[in-house]
Amino acid sequence: MRKSLSICTLALALAIAAGAQPSKAADTVTFVSYGGSFQEAQEKAFVKPFTEANHVQLVTDSGPTVAKIKAMVEAKNVQWDVVEVTEADYLNLVRLGLLEKIDYSQFDAQTIKAIEPQFRPEYGVAAVMYSYGIGYRTDLGRDDHPKTYAELWDTKKFPGPRALPTGTFANPPWEAALLADGVASDKLYPIDFARATKSLDKIKPNVTVWFDNTAPGVQALVSGDVDYGLMPNGRVLQSKSQGAPVDFEYGQALLYVDYFVVPKGAPNKDVAMKLLAFASQAKPSAEFMKQIQYSMPNTDALQYLDPEYAKSLPSAPENLHRQIPTTGEFYGEDSGNGDTWQKVSIDVWNKWFGQ
């Protein structure tokens, strides 16, 4: 045994003398988002360029939820490093103490300057700005389409099957249901779940696709299985650019902001912070926006985009003023009985949908 060790030690010494270096385990980072073409665009624009340039091994996953992150942190078995979450999930994760503080010392001064303070809070950095609104087919033999949720709910004026997100999805249908029922955009919160479910009762017979992952909903529109739906601007407009007879209506679209976070106890926290700093820079942000029509918070990124293309983004002035900002704060608040409104939201949905 001692002889074998001596031989191994001698071999290593000779290798080093010849110029070889002892092998070092490569850094690893696990990136988690919402799958489909959206996550593919993120990986192509900034995740893979970062990992390849820094010789970091990349692991990917999808389907982030508060419950999954909570379970990992409490079990002290965190497997995710950089995770995209909705604003509501972000606020819940902060409230539960499940996140690492973002190390903004890794961000260069110009990136910090180009991102508004509200988009770089203590425990997360804005990942994307996107819109959920009316997606529709353009080959239905008519030159009009639903421009409000009341019209999307009007199955006599606009007959045809619909696709809507479930109440367990990151972007539930409550706001759209209330707007369809005549609630003013500045009176959406707190959500009146009784009124929202009654509104959903009216359209439920015409909803043939309920989705809790965006990809199936958009695919149903592209394939012609549905004529209309409540869908994200980016994936619909990406399908349009690829030749599908679909389009997106920005009127009454619901504007959302997602955040990148690092779960408490992430195994590769230092690499995760460097990845966030890189992804937030102007050029990587622009590369993402070139692939899918969502907006990144870095305002310097717009200079790298074709001006006409930039007009299709949610943050374009001509689109921004037509949309309705959502707030995740409501869902993260205590409902008064120890549960968050997000938990109440899911319980209401499961009871209504199971009827």
mmCIF file of all heavy atoms in Angstrom, residues 162-179:
data_model
loop_
_atom_site.group_PDB
_atom_site.id
_atom_site.type_symbol
_atom_site.label_atom_id
_atom_site.label_comp_id
_atom_site.label_asym_id
_atom_site.label_seq_id
_atom_site.Cartn_x
_atom_site.Cartn_y
_atom_site.Cartn_z
ATOM 1 N N ARG A 162 -61.430 28.310 -26.095
ATOM 2 C CA ARG A 162 -60.466 29.162 -25.411
ATOM 3 C C ARG A 162 -59.436 28.334 -24.634
ATOM 4 O O ARG A 162 -59.679 27.178 -24.301
ATOM 5 C CB ARG A 162 -61.182 30.053 -24.384
ATOM 6 C CG ARG A 162 -61.606 31.427 -24.863
ATOM 7 C CD ARG A 162 -62.760 31.408 -25.779
ATOM 8 N NE ARG A 162 -63.351 32.775 -25.873
ATOM 9 C CZ ARG A 162 -64.103 33.170 -26.879
ATOM 10 N NH1 ARG A 162 -64.373 32.336 -27.884
ATOM 11 N NH2 ARG A 162 -64.606 34.401 -26.887
ATOM 12 N N ALA A 163 -58.316 28.996 -24.312
ATOM 13 C CA ALA A 163 -57.312 28.439 -23.391
ATOM 14 C C ALA A 163 -57.071 29.458 -22.292
ATOM 15 O O ALA A 163 -56.883 30.648 -22.566
ATOM 16 C CB ALA A 163 -56.009 28.140 -24.123
ATOM 17 N N LEU A 164 -57.098 28.998 -21.040
ATOM 18 C CA LEU A 164 -56.850 29.873 -19.896
ATOM 19 C C LEU A 164 -55.899 29.191 -18.922
ATOM 20 O O LEU A 164 -55.879 27.955 -18.812
ATOM 21 C CB LEU A 164 -58.151 30.196 -19.153
ATOM 22 C CG LEU A 164 -59.189 31.092 -19.828
ATOM 23 C CD1 LEU A 164 -60.377 31.295 -18.895
ATOM 24 C CD2 LEU A 164 -58.595 32.437 -20.211
ATOM 25 N N PRO A 165 -55.127 29.979 -18.179
ATOM 26 C CA PRO A 165 -54.270 29.389 -17.148
ATOM 27 C C PRO A 165 -55.098 28.929 -15.959
ATOM 28 O O PRO A 165 -56.171 29.471 -15.685
ATOM 29 C CB PRO A 165 -53.345 30.548 -16.758
ATOM 30 C CG PRO A 165 -54.134 31.772 -17.066
ATOM 31 C CD PRO A 165 -54.952 31.435 -18.284
ATOM 32 N N THR A 166 -54.608 27.945 -15.254
ATOM 33 C CA THR A 166 -55.287 27.470 -14.053
ATOM 34 C C THR A 166 -54.994 28.414 -12.893
ATOM 35 O O THR A 166 -54.088 29.247 -12.949
ATOM 36 C CB THR A 166 -54.814 26.058 -13.662
ATOM 37 O OG1 THR A 166 -53.447 26.144 -13.209
ATOM 38 C CG2 THR A 166 -54.912 25.087 -14.827
ATOM 39 N N GLY A 167 -55.733 28.231 -11.813
ATOM 40 C CA GLY A 167 -55.516 29.037 -10.625
ATOM 41 C C GLY A 167 -54.311 28.604 -9.821
ATOM 42 O O GLY A 167 -53.926 29.273 -8.860
ATOM 43 N N THR A 168 -53.691 27.487 -10.207
ATOM 44 C CA THR A 168 -52.463 27.050 -9.545
ATOM 45 C C THR A 168 -51.235 27.502 -10.316
ATOM 46 O O THR A 168 -50.107 27.285 -9.875
ATOM 47 C CB THR A 168 -52.437 25.514 -9.413
ATOM 48 O OG1 THR A 168 -52.538 24.925 -10.724
ATOM 49 C CG2 THR A 168 -53.592 25.031 -8.565
ATOM 50 N N PHE A 169 -51.454 28.125 -11.479
ATOM 51 C CA PHE A 169 -50.357 28.602 -12.315
ATOM 52 C C PHE A 169 -49.767 29.875 -11.707
ATOM 53 O O PHE A 169 -50.396 30.561 -10.907
ATOM 54 C CB PHE A 169 -50.869 28.853 -13.733
ATOM 55 C CG PHE A 169 -49.811 29.259 -14.725
ATOM 56 C CD1 PHE A 169 -48.664 28.500 -14.878
ATOM 57 C CD2 PHE A 169 -49.969 30.397 -15.495
ATOM 58 C CE1 PHE A 169 -47.693 28.871 -15.788
ATOM 59 C CE2 PHE A 169 -49.003 30.778 -16.411
ATOM 60 C CZ PHE A 169 -47.853 30.013 -16.558
ATOM 61 N N ALA A 170 -48.543 30.202 -12.111
ATOM 62 C CA ALA A 170 -47.864 31.390 -11.594
ATOM 63 C C ALA A 170 -48.653 32.661 -11.862
ATOM 64 O O ALA A 170 -48.601 33.610 -11.076
ATOM 65 C CB ALA A 170 -46.472 31.486 -12.214
ATOM 66 N N ASN A 171 -49.372 32.695 -12.978
ATOM 67 C CA ASN A 171 -50.198 33.859 -13.326
ATOM 68 C C ASN A 171 -51.650 33.397 -13.456
ATOM 69 O O ASN A 171 -52.114 33.047 -14.532
ATOM 70 C CB ASN A 171 -49.718 34.467 -14.647
ATOM 71 C CG ASN A 171 -48.228 34.748 -14.648
ATOM 72 O OD1 ASN A 171 -47.479 34.144 -15.392
ATOM 73 N ND2 ASN A 171 -47.787 35.643 -13.796
ATOM 74 N N PRO A 172 -52.383 33.393 -12.349
ATOM 75 C CA PRO A 172 -53.752 32.858 -12.340
ATOM 76 C C PRO A 172 -54.724 33.750 -13.110
ATOM 77 O O PRO A 172 -54.398 34.892 -13.462
ATOM 78 C CB PRO A 172 -54.099 32.820 -10.848
ATOM 79 C CG PRO A 172 -53.250 33.891 -10.239
ATOM 80 C CD PRO A 172 -51.972 33.883 -11.013
ATOM 81 N N PRO A 173 -55.941 33.267 -13.379
ATOM 82 C CA PRO A 173 -56.888 34.000 -14.222
ATOM 83 C C PRO A 173 -57.773 34.997 -13.476
ATOM 84 O O PRO A 173 -58.686 35.565 -14.067
ATOM 85 C CB PRO A 173 -57.743 32.871 -14.807
ATOM 86 C CG PRO A 173 -57.801 31.857 -13.713
ATOM 87 C CD PRO A 173 -56.439 31.911 -13.065
ATOM 88 N N TRP A 174 -57.522 35.228 -12.185
ATOM 89 C CA TRP A 174 -58.433 36.037 -11.385
ATOM 90 C C TRP A 174 -58.586 37.468 -11.908
ATOM 91 O O TRP A 174 -59.705 37.979 -12.027
ATOM 92 C CB TRP A 174 -57.976 36.098 -9.919
ATOM 93 C CG TRP A 174 -57.742 34.777 -9.278
ATOM 94 C CD1 TRP A 174 -56.589 34.343 -8.675
ATOM 95 C CD2 TRP A 174 -58.671 33.686 -9.139
ATOM 96 N NE1 TRP A 174 -56.737 33.072 -8.185
ATOM 97 C CE2 TRP A 174 -58.009 32.643 -8.454
ATOM 98 C CE3 TRP A 174 -59.994 33.491 -9.528
ATOM 99 C CZ2 TRP A 174 -58.623 31.434 -8.144
ATOM 100 C CZ3 TRP A 174 -60.607 32.278 -9.227
ATOM 101 C CH2 TRP A 174 -59.942 31.276 -8.546
ATOM 102 N N GLU A 175 -57.464 38.130 -12.197
ATOM 103 C CA GLU A 175 -57.531 39.524 -12.637
ATOM 104 C C GLU A 175 -58.325 39.653 -13.932
ATOM 105 O O GLU A 175 -59.163 40.550 -14.083
ATOM 106 C CB GLU A 175 -56.123 40.100 -12.805
ATOM 107 C CG GLU A 175 -55.402 40.386 -11.499
ATOM 108 C CD GLU A 175 -54.604 39.207 -10.951
ATOM 109 O OE1 GLU A 175 -54.811 38.069 -11.433
ATOM 110 O OE2 GLU A 175 -53.792 39.413 -10.042
ATOM 111 N N ALA A 176 -58.058 38.761 -14.883
ATOM 112 C CA ALA A 176 -58.778 38.815 -16.157
ATOM 113 C C ALA A 176 -60.262 38.570 -15.957
ATOM 114 O O ALA A 176 -61.110 39.225 -16.581
ATOM 115 C CB ALA A 176 -58.197 37.779 -17.127
ATOM 116 N N ALA A 177 -60.595 37.631 -15.074
ATOM 117 C CA ALA A 177 -62.005 37.328 -14.814
ATOM 118 C C ALA A 177 -62.732 38.530 -14.219
ATOM 119 O O ALA A 177 -63.884 38.816 -14.578
ATOM 120 C CB ALA A 177 -62.113 36.125 -13.875
ATOM 121 N N LEU A 178 -62.070 39.247 -13.327
ATOM 122 C CA LEU A 178 -62.690 40.427 -12.729
ATOM 123 C C LEU A 178 -62.827 41.563 -13.738
ATOM 124 O O LEU A 178 -63.856 42.244 -13.794
ATOM 125 C CB LEU A 178 -61.873 40.885 -11.515
ATOM 126 C CG LEU A 178 -61.913 39.949 -10.303
ATOM 127 C CD1 LEU A 178 -60.931 40.419 -9.234
ATOM 128 C CD2 LEU A 178 -63.329 39.852 -9.728
ATOM 129 N N LEU A 179 -61.804 41.770 -14.551
ATOM 130 C CA LEU A 179 -61.881 42.795 -15.586
ATOM 131 C C LEU A 179 -62.995 42.473 -16.574
ATOM 132 O O LEU A 179 -63.728 43.365 -17.029
ATOM 133 C CB LEU A 179 -60.542 42.917 -16.310
ATOM 134 C CG LEU A 179 -59.410 43.542 -15.478
ATOM 135 C CD1 LEU A 179 -58.058 43.250 -16.116
ATOM 136 C CD2 LEU A 179 -59.621 45.050 -15.332
#
